[in-house]
Amino acid sequence: MNEQLISLLERTATAQEAQAKATQMIADRLDLLIQAMAEDEPEDSDAQPLRYMDGTPCR
């Protein structure tokens, strides 16, 4: 194979690996966010919310 083609394929593979790692990190953080949001939800969907949308506690 041509040296330029080999170099291009190596750079492409490296970029794909970096993209896969970044995508996995995003997926992991989204999973943590979903878990945290689920813990804050009241058990009863008809129950009064515990916090306002800006994050301040309801009185």
Side-chain angles (χ1 to χ4, degrees), residues 3-45:
E3 290 296 320
Q4 283 182 318
L5 181 57
I6 292 172
S7 175
L8 179 60
L9 289 172
E10 287 173 344
R11 289 194 317 250
T12 301
T14 301
Q16 287 176 337
E17 288 173 1
Q19 184 178 16
K21 287 179 184 177
T23 302
Q24 184 61 50
M25 185 170 56
I26 290 169
D28 291 343
R29 293 197 177 168
L30 283 174
D31 186 47
L32 289 173
L33 176 60
I34 291 168
Q35 289 176 12
M37 290 174 68
E39 290 171 359
D40 286 344
E41 294 287 323
E43 297 271 335
D44 182 7
S45 62

